[in-house]
Amino acid sequence: MRLGRQVVLALVLVGMLALLPLPAPAQLSLDDAIVTGFEITAELRPAPFAGVCDVASCQITSFGFLKGKTVAQLQVTSPSPVATQRWLLDDDLQVKAVSGPGVSFRRDRWYVVLTFNPPLVPGSRHTLTFEYEGRVGLVWDDLILAWDGLLYPVLTSPFGDISGNRAPIKTTVTIPLGYLLASTGTVSRRDSGGMQVYEWQTEPLPYIAVVGGKVGFYQALERQAGRVPLTIFIRPRYDRFLNQIVDFTGKAADYYSRILYPFPTGKVTVIAAPFGRSLLGIGFPALMMITEDAFQPADPTLNRDSFRLLLVAHEAAHTYFPAETSGKGTGYIWLSEGFAEYLGLLTVEEVLGKDAFARELADERRSYARFAGQDLPIAAYTRVNSDTSAAVAVRYAKGGYVLHMLRYVVGTETFMNVLKTYATRYRAQSVRLDNFQEVAQEVYGQTLDWFFQEWIYQRVLPDYTIESATSAAAEGGTRTTVKVRNLGTGQMPVDVVFEMDGGEKVTRRVTIGSRAEATVEVVTPRPVRRVEVDPDKAILQANYTNDSATVR
């Protein structure tokens, strides 16, 4: 998912980012239980959209109707009995019944809290059945978006991750005639009594979504994006950049196939959704929703090729993270959004070149700079606190930039090997932050605990400055001595560039700790006129205006 950079969220996002109460610690992790299969049956009755919208939000006054039944196969994996569980389900839905072994339930806003008496014993397998209905948003003529937590309940951890739901999913949706629907997996459709019935069957996935809209609002187009066939739902006249977005989707899929493993799906559905600038995109397995403003942009940012490619590539990356490798526990959001963002940036570098990559990376720096020092550590963000402006900046801008800094530390070749090893080793699995760190250290051959402690579990922000830069005659040329201070926090290796007369440059790398300084000397055949610390802006800093100085 990618939010607009100028806004935090719109009411269209309530199903994903609503502020939720922190659960009681009765269930410490999703390792207590896993879902081994879902069978979902739902009836949707869309309503005409009614509301007042601006660039940042919508005040919605119309709601569609959803009636559903979910049968979940549960396996207890905890070494001790499990007495309670929390399942996420939109609080606009009334839970009519929950059946299962000794189960009772209560509502806690967005959660359905289950209590088992007697507790479920380790290793046991059970069937839980949920029945629910209500008037909900996101089920309109213009846009249907029914996903986890709305279409069906999902088992959640205190961190908000849903990695324990990786399971085969069978979905049957009944809807009036005259609507187009799409989802992940193999689909069949039939008419029955003035209604149409869609059925999907998927391989084990962490989640699915059903999307669509009224015939006439969307047209369905078939396109070929490199080796990936696309079905595109798009409004007429919103197709100015359709061919480019098709091309970008194919190039992203091809690039990921080369650096990770072959693109996991044989076909992708793309929805040009009426999100405006509030929500730029959402990525599901084999299903991408891109704001239609990217297809017919008036906004200068969306009219930039490199940003449009970043947006498309970000959502395509979700086919890998978290669809194939889903995060759980502490920092799980970074393992999805941070990875998708930096994979998108890597695609920009590969397709459009280093200048375009540098431009989008600078935009990430600016996005985070507005909240630097006000944010929490990456590991502290969960589903319950990820809807603030600072959280959005951390999830995308800082999240991607931390991977860029890891690349800077270990080197590009090693970093790409880290990504490939991690993706292939943990394909079709749920992982923790420790798993990625272990792979990074294994491939790099050195500990990176200091890096993960500072940039994931703590909040640091360096600020490098040149305190002094002097030169004197020396045997063989000129000796230049530079004192570099870190006015901020965090210990990072940082490059110092010495630029000689004529433009030739010499680079030295030095590690400077929090509130510390280091002295760097070089002897060059010609005088050094200028020095600069962190010349490529590879490190997130508090201030980039004090990084260079003229040599005296």
Side-chain angles (χ1 to χ4, degrees), residues 78-283:
S78 170
S80 56
V82 173
T84 63
Q85 291 178 340
R86 286 177 177 259
W87 292 69
L88 182 68
L89 187 65
D90 193 306
D91 64 353
D92 286 329
L93 292 169
Q94 180 183 358
V95 181
K96 309 295 286 187
V98 179
S99 60
V103 66
S104 60
F105 72 92
R106 64 179 175 84
R107 264 295 195 176
D108 184 0
R109 294 186 62 189
W110 282 77
Y111 288 106
V112 180
V113 182
L114 305 186
T115 301
F116 300 99
N117 187 16
L120 305 180
V121 299
S124 59
R125 295 174 180 266
H126 307 279
T127 299
L128 297 176
T129 302
F130 299 81
E131 298 179 53
Y132 43 91
E133 64 180 49
R135 303 191 67 80
V136 295
L138 300 176
V139 181
W140 298 303
D141 289 346
D142 298 354
L143 173 65
I144 298 166
L145 173 53
W147 54 14
D148 59 272
L150 180 67
L151 182 65
Y152 63 107
V154 285
L155 182 63
T156 58
S157 82
F159 303 99
D161 66 80
I162 59 173
S163 61
N165 297 280
R166 180 176 289 277
I169 304 173
K170 181 180 180 181
T171 310
T172 302
V173 174
T174 302
I175 192 168
L177 295 173
Y179 291 86
L180 292 170
L181 290 184
S183 183
T184 298
T186 303
V187 60
S188 65
R189 178 195 171 280
R190 57 186 168 84
D191 293 346
S192 177
M195 304 286 281
Q196 53 185 335
V197 180
Y198 285 85
E199 293 183 342
W200 293 273
Q201 183 79 41
T202 73
E203 297 301 317
L205 290 172
Y207 53 78
I208 64 158
V210 171
V211 302
K214 200 165 188 176
V215 174
F217 186 82
Y218 290 108
Q219 57 182 328
L221 306 176
E222 300 296 326
R223 293 289 188 273
Q224 190 70 28
R227 286 172 285 185
V228 180
L230 303 183
T231 298
I232 303 168
F233 289 7
I234 189 170
R235 283 204 281 175
R237 299 185 303 279
Y238 274 81
D239 58 358
R240 178 182 173 192
F241 288 103
L242 171 61
N243 290 337
Q244 186 188 61
I245 288 176
V246 169
D247 179 57
F248 283 167
T249 302
K251 286 177 176 175
D254 178 69
Y255 179 59
Y256 297 155
S257 297
R258 286 187 281 115
I259 67 170
L260 299 175
Y261 51 79
F263 199 65
T265 179
K267 186 173 183 178
V268 174
T269 298
V270 179
I271 315 293
F275 289 152
R277 292 284 283 124
S278 300
L279 175 61
L280 299 182
I282 311 176

Side-chain angles (χ1 to χ4, degrees), residues 18-51:
L19 186 61
L20 306 178
L22 187 64
Q27 183 189 355
L28 295 181
S29 76
L30 278 181
D31 294 337
D32 290 346
I34 58 172
V35 178
T36 60
F38 279 111
E39 186 166 348
I40 304 158
T41 305
E43 177 185 344
L44 302 179
R45 291 189 177 272
F49 177 82

Side-chain angles (χ1 to χ4, degrees), residues 183-474:
S183 183
T184 298
T186 303
V187 60
S188 65
R189 178 195 171 280
R190 57 186 168 84
D191 293 346
S192 177
M195 304 286 281
Q196 53 185 335
V197 180
Y198 285 85
E199 293 183 342
W200 293 273
Q201 183 79 41
T202 73
E203 297 301 317
L205 290 172
Y207 53 78
I208 64 158
V210 171
V211 302
K214 200 165 188 176
V215 174
F217 186 82
Y218 290 108
Q219 57 182 328
L221 306 176
E222 300 296 326
R223 293 289 188 273
Q224 190 70 28
R227 286 172 285 185
V228 180
L230 303 183
T231 298
I232 303 168
F233 289 7
I234 189 170
R235 283 204 281 175
R237 299 185 303 279
Y238 274 81
D239 58 358
R240 178 182 173 192
F241 288 103
L242 171 61
N243 290 337
Q244 186 188 61
I245 288 176
V246 169
D247 179 57
F248 283 167
T249 302
K251 286 177 176 175
D254 178 69
Y255 179 59
Y256 297 155
S257 297
R258 286 187 281 115
I259 67 170
L260 299 175
Y261 51 79
F263 199 65
T265 179
K267 186 173 183 178
V268 174
T269 298
V270 179
I271 315 293
F275 289 152
R277 292 284 283 124
S278 300
L279 175 61
L280 299 182
I282 311 176
F284 298 101
L287 179 66
M288 303 193 313
M289 303 187 76
I290 304 292
T291 177
E292 64 185 10
D293 284 18
F295 290 78
Q296 191 81 10
D299 183 279
T301 301
L302 284 173
N303 210 18
R304 193 169 70 221
D305 288 350
S306 56
F307 184 76
R308 194 179 302 111
L309 173 56
L310 173 59
L311 171 59
V312 170
H314 175 110
E315 302 309 339
H318 282 313
T319 301
Y320 292 87
F321 308 106
E324 292 289 328
T325 303
S326 52
K328 63 180 177 180
T330 303
Y332 83 94
I333 291 176
W334 179 63
L335 294 171
S336 171
E337 298 297 350
F339 276 60
E341 188 73 353
Y342 197 63
L343 282 167
L345 287 164
L346 287 173
T347 307
V348 171
E349 184 178 33
E350 171 72 12
V351 175
L352 299 180
K354 293 187 179 300
D355 288 346
F357 173 76
R359 181 167 57 248
E360 296 307 323
L361 200 64
D363 205 16
E364 304 281 19
R365 285 197 303 272
R366 288 189 292 269
S367 296
Y368 176 65
R370 295 188 297 137
F371 304 100
Q374 307 171 40
D375 56 317
L376 300 173
I378 283 176
Y381 285 103
T382 71
R383 197 163 185 164
V384 305
N385 66 350
S386 61
D387 65 343
T388 65
S389 299
V392 171
V394 169
R395 286 162 53 199
Y396 301 104
K398 183 179 180 181
Y401 221 101
V402 166
L403 286 169
H404 182 65
M405 290 190 291
L406 180 62
R407 173 187 176 182
Y408 165 77
V409 168
V410 305
T412 294
E413 182 178 355
T414 297
F415 177 77
M416 301 306 287
N417 286 336
V418 168
L419 283 183
K420 187 180 185 70
T421 302
Y422 171 69
T424 54
R425 181 176 299 176
Y426 292 109
R427 185 175 183 181
Q429 297 183 51
S430 297
V431 297
R432 298 186 185 277
L433 273 171
D434 288 349
N435 299 122
F436 178 67
Q437 181 179 340
E438 288 163 4
V439 169
Q441 293 178 155
E442 173 191 322
V443 176
Y444 183 44
Q446 300 180 39
T447 182
L448 289 164
D449 191 61
W450 62 272
F451 181 89
F452 283 85
Q453 286 298 321
E454 288 194 348
W455 291 105
I456 302 297
Y457 297 101
Q458 302 170 20
R459 186 189 70 194
V460 299
L461 193 61
D463 180 8
Y464 301 108
T465 186
I466 305 292
E467 292 236 310
S468 64
T470 59
S471 63

